[in-house]
Amino acid sequence: MSSFDFADLQNSFEKEIAQVGDVFSLEELRVKYLGKKSLVALALSSLKSLSDEERPLVGKLANELKNKISALIENKKSELQDNAFEVCQLDISLPSIKLPLGTEHPVTIVMKEICGIFVKMGFTIMEGPEIESEDNNFTGLNIPLDHPSREAFDTFYLKGDELEAGSSKLKDKKEKKRLLRSHTSPVQVRVMKENRPPLAIVVPGKVYRPDAVDASHLFMFNQVEGLLVDKNVKFSDLKGALTHFAKELFGSEIKMRFRPHFFPFTEPSVEVDVSCIICKGKGCSVCGHKGWLEILGAGLVHPAVFKYVGYKDKEFTGFAFGMGVERIAILKYGINDIRLFFENDLRFLKQF
Amino acid sequence: MKFTYNWLKDYLKIRISSEKLANELTMSGLEIKSIEKHGSDFVFEAEVTPNRPDCLSIIGVAREICALTGEQMSLPKTTPLKNKKLKEKVNVNITDVGACSRYLGLIIRGVQVAESPVWLKERLLAIGLRPVNNIVDITNFCLFELGQPIHAFDLDKLSGGIQVRFAREAEELITIDGVKRSLNKEVLVISDRERVAAIAGIM
């Protein structure tokens, strides 16, 4: 008698084909039962070793099984193809799955926008190091050690490898000390030392001040600085450049005002306000009911700064300005807490 | 730096409202950060920039307003001290004229330490100061009115006159705010023969 239980084979095949859900599994099954090394193939090849009486019997059963399996496979195949065809009955005009996209950080967006406005006016973007010398951060900008305005510029000094916050008054008075720059103005000094006018640069970058962190202050934030030096640069040139800038950034309907102020590295100095973009000047909580929002500090470059960088007295005049990027972003987007910029919360960042 | 609308009126006529005044001052460079109503008065808080120390006194601000509005200024009335009252001199010694170019002292006798009158206390409270007694209050009033720091010492507690000198390394002082401080050679102090009385020009 044959050692092949054909009924058993058929049963196990029927069980397995019921589990098949796709054409790949079906093909695997076909190979298993009907392929060169399959059980059915083995049965057929063993026919020649059988006796003359057994041969027709076993042969018949083997062929029957083979045909049955083939038929079932064909059935299943067309069944699967029909289903596949049904599944394809999709509305391809529907929108696709939304893929996750990275976006620019709001500070980056605003910084690019600010720099872009000045680049279009002919300014060049320059950058400088965040670790600066006391010379470039203070002395070169007409801020000597004992000057009262130093009090306003408490700084992060580097002590060996550690950072140390505090005023420099009672410390080692060597002016070559290194610190984390408290404003982007040192880059003005760097650029002027290496280049002769005419110069028109805009300097974005991070700055550091030991402020207590709250809804409107951070110890690390971003500024954009600007400097233009040439012969016969006038205050009206400064007003024109800044007026154009503010209108490009906030819209042409805004009003501006320039208030006298003080910076050790500019004379005269001003603070620049725009009419509040929320209440349009009527007064609201955003502008502290003043109707004006302060956006910039600016002025004509102080002669002492020109002297420090080696320009001849009265050879050139220039203007400089600086602004806080986070502050502009807060005004532009209506954000109520500056800390959101550095908390890396995707729920916030995804909105830009 | 705080000052009040009514206090300013002691030195000039103000014909504009407190808001208009605040705006005028802001646009001239003395930024008024806030105006608060204080009874029948208005308290202004100004941000005085380092280049305008002249505005660190009420008279200074009054002078600025006169320049802006064209009004006439009237300074506080004073009478010169008669010579015979100055017979008794304070011994003042300045060790470093570069650090302190001038130090003036005067002996006033017959002083009774008492509570200040109400008008004086109210003026000080309005600008954020705490009234202590008539002597301290007068010195504070003068500081804010005129911009001239003055200090009152108890003559009985001073031994041998006033010395303006640099402190010794680790010399100690309990300042008027009650804090014990350790000084060093870079701190200019007012002292008598025995101990430090104050940090010069600070407290």
Side-chain angles (χ1 to χ4, degrees):
Chain A
M1 230 337 262
S2 83
S3 51
F4 294 99
D5 191 335
F6 290 103
D8 212 26
L9 265 177
Q10 185 165 327
N11 273 338
S12 52
F13 174 75
E14 276 167 2
K15 271 204 195 101
E16 282 190 63
I17 200 167
Q19 306 293 328
V20 165
D22 64 272
V23 290
F24 297 105
S25 317
L26 186 65
E27 178 60 18
E28 270 175 26
L29 197 66
R30 190 194 68 79
V31 167
K32 184 175 175 184
Y33 281 88
L34 299 180
K36 284 204 187 106
K37 293 190 186 156
S38 70
L39 297 163
V40 175
L42 267 162
L44 288 169
S45 62
S46 71
L47 284 173
K48 46 181 186 284
S49 59
L50 291 173
S51 62
D52 282 337
E53 299 150 343
E54 289 190 311
R55 201 178 299 136
L57 228 75
V58 177
K60 181 167 167 231
L61 285 170
N63 274 321
E64 265 176 18
L65 183 63
K66 181 173 152 194
N67 291 333
K68 193 152 195 127
I69 288 177
S70 295
L72 283 169
I73 284 179
E74 279 307 310
N75 275 348
K76 193 74 179 180
K77 199 172 188 181
S78 42
E79 191 188 301
L80 285 172
Q81 277 174 344
D82 282 344
N83 285 347
F85 186 61
E86 270 168 25
V87 167
C88 277
Q89 294 264 22
L90 273 178
D91 181 356
I92 55 171
S93 68
L94 285 171
S96 68
I97 310 160
K98 191 168 181 183
L99 292 169
L101 281 177
T103 53
E104 280 184 323
H105 193 285
V107 168
T108 308
I109 296 172
V110 173
M111 210 183 246
K112 278 186 173 179
E113 195 177 342
I114 294 171
C115 292
I117 296 168
F118 287 106
V119 164
K120 281 198 193 144
M121 283 198 255
F123 286 71
T124 307
I125 300 181
M126 299 286 282
E127 289 182 308
E130 290 175 21
I131 297 178
E132 261 294 1
S133 66
E134 201 156 344
D135 268 354
N136 285 341
N137 198 73
F138 290 123
T139 320
L141 294 165
N142 200 31
I143 310 171
L145 272 163
D146 313 61
H147 200 274
S149 65
R150 278 270 187 158
E151 240 22 82
F153 291 90
D154 278 359
T155 329
F156 283 115
Y157 284 98
L158 269 67
K159 181 185 180 182
D161 291 322
E162 305 137 51
L163 293 172
E164 201 173 275
S167 160
S168 64
K169 271 206 182 313
L170 296 174
K171 286 187 184 308
D172 183 1
K173 287 190 179 182
K174 293 204 192 82
E175 295 196 3
K176 306 291 176 204
K177 280 184 68 164
R178 296 193 308 165
L179 43 79
L180 291 180
R181 65 179 179 190
S182 55
H183 42 187
T184 34
S185 313
V187 186
Q188 291 183 32
V189 174
R190 284 179 173 263
V191 170
M192 284 196 279
K193 272 187 186 164
E194 300 295 315
N195 299 278
R196 295 279 298 172
L199 293 170
I201 59 165
V202 80
V203 185
K206 278 208 191 67
V207 301
Y208 302 86
R209 295 192 193 171
D211 272 332
V213 175
D214 61 29
S216 29
H217 297 91
L218 289 165
F219 56 80
M220 173 181 78
F221 56 100
N222 292 275
Q223 285 188 332
V224 174
E225 187 89 9
L227 174 71
L228 186 144
V229 184
D230 201 351
K231 287 192 187 293
N232 297 318
V233 176
K234 302 181 290 296
F235 197 80
S236 50
D237 297 324
L238 173 62
K239 285 182 84 171
L242 294 180
T243 305
H244 172 78
F245 162 71
K247 290 197 184 229
E248 285 288 298
L249 193 65
F250 293 111
S252 52
E253 334 78 51
I254 55 113
K255 294 197 171 30
M256 293 182 73
R257 67 177 195 181
F258 292 78
R259 284 182 286 108
H261 195 61
F262 173 78
F263 299 108
F265 34 87
T266 48
E267 186 60 45
S269 312
V270 287
E271 274 189 330
V272 184
D273 301 336
V274 294
S275 47
C276 181
I277 50 180
I278 310 293
C279 63
K280 314 246 184 285
K282 291 194 188 67
C284 65
S285 58
V286 174
C287 61
H289 303 280
K290 291 185 185 146
W292 295 97
L293 296 166
E294 186 190 312
I295 55 161
L296 279 166
L300 293 191
V301 182
H302 198 289
V305 178
F306 285 139
K307 184 173 179 187
Y308 183 84
V309 300
Y311 295 166
K312 242 171 48 193
D313 189 37
K314 296 191 176 57
E315 198 181 356
F316 301 105
T317 49
F319 66 69
F321 56 85
M323 68 193 95
V325 182
E326 281 81 4
R327 172 145 174 85
I328 306 276
I330 279 176
L331 295 175
K332 210 172 148 72
Y333 294 115
I335 297 163
N336 59 0
D337 194 322
I338 201 173
R339 292 168 289 195
L340 288 166
F341 290 120
F342 287 100
E343 281 170 359
N344 300 331
D345 193 333
L346 283 176
R347 294 171 299 175
F348 170 73
L349 296 173
K350 267 186 187 307
Q351 295 175 58
F352 299 94
Chain B
M1 161 77 190
K2 286 185 173 178
F3 50 89
T4 80
Y5 191 68
N6 290 344
W7 193 337
L8 285 167
K9 284 189 182 166
D10 278 0
Y11 314 110
L12 76 153
K13 277 199 174 56
I14 305 183
R15 304 176 204 272
I16 51 179
S17 68
S18 60
E19 276 116 26
K20 278 206 112 193
L21 181 65
N23 196 52
E24 285 284 314
L25 285 170
T26 298
M27 288 312 290
S28 81
L30 187 65
E31 192 185 352
I32 304 299
K33 294 255 168 213
S34 66
I35 316 173
E36 263 169 41
K37 201 157 158 56
H38 187 93
S40 61
D41 203 352
F42 294 97
V43 182
F44 299 90
E45 178 150 25
E47 186 190 308
V48 181
T49 48
N51 62 330
R52 296 300 305 273
D54 60 297
C55 287
L56 287 171
S57 63
I58 316 274
I59 287 223
V61 177
R63 193 184 300 125
E64 183 75 359
I65 299 171
C66 286
L68 290 170
T69 57
E71 294 286 345
Q72 271 295 101
M73 175 132 159
S74 54
L75 285 165
K77 287 181 178 49
T78 54
T79 44
L81 289 167
K82 293 200 171 67
N83 266 334
K84 59 181 171 203
K85 292 209 170 138
L86 297 172
K87 270 211 188 106
E88 231 184 327
K89 289 206 178 107
V90 187
N91 215 348
V92 177
N93 173 239
I94 303 173
T95 55
D96 186 347
V97 186
C100 170
S101 49
R102 193 172 170 86
Y103 192 94
L104 300 159
L106 183 70
I107 296 177
I108 303 174
R109 291 200 179 273
V111 170
Q112 185 84 4
V113 177
E115 206 181 316
S116 296
V118 175
W119 70 265
L120 177 55
K121 287 202 278 188
E122 277 185 0
R123 280 264 162 105
L124 293 176
L125 283 165
I127 60 168
L129 294 171
R130 194 175 49 90
V132 179
N133 57 47
N134 53 357
I135 308 301
V136 174
D137 295 350
I138 287 170
T139 56
N140 275 336
F141 184 87
C142 289
L143 169 63
F144 281 90
E145 182 186 49
L146 301 165
Q148 173 63 55
I150 62 174
H151 191 96
F153 297 96
D154 187 335
L155 189 61
D156 290 341
K157 297 201 177 127
L158 275 183
S159 67
I162 298 273
Q163 245 216 347
V164 182
R165 61 169 174 87
F166 283 107
R168 288 183 280 274
E169 203 63 41
E171 193 167 7
E172 280 184 357
L173 164 70
I174 299 175
T175 41
I176 206 163
D177 57 356
V179 178
K180 191 179 201 180
R181 298 175 195 273
S182 178
L183 309 168
N184 61 55
K185 290 184 287 190
E186 293 185 9
V187 182
L188 194 67
V189 294
I190 314 297
S191 77
D192 63 13
R193 205 169 33 211
E194 281 161 32
R195 76 182 80 80
V196 178
I199 301 174
I202 301 177
M203 61 163 99

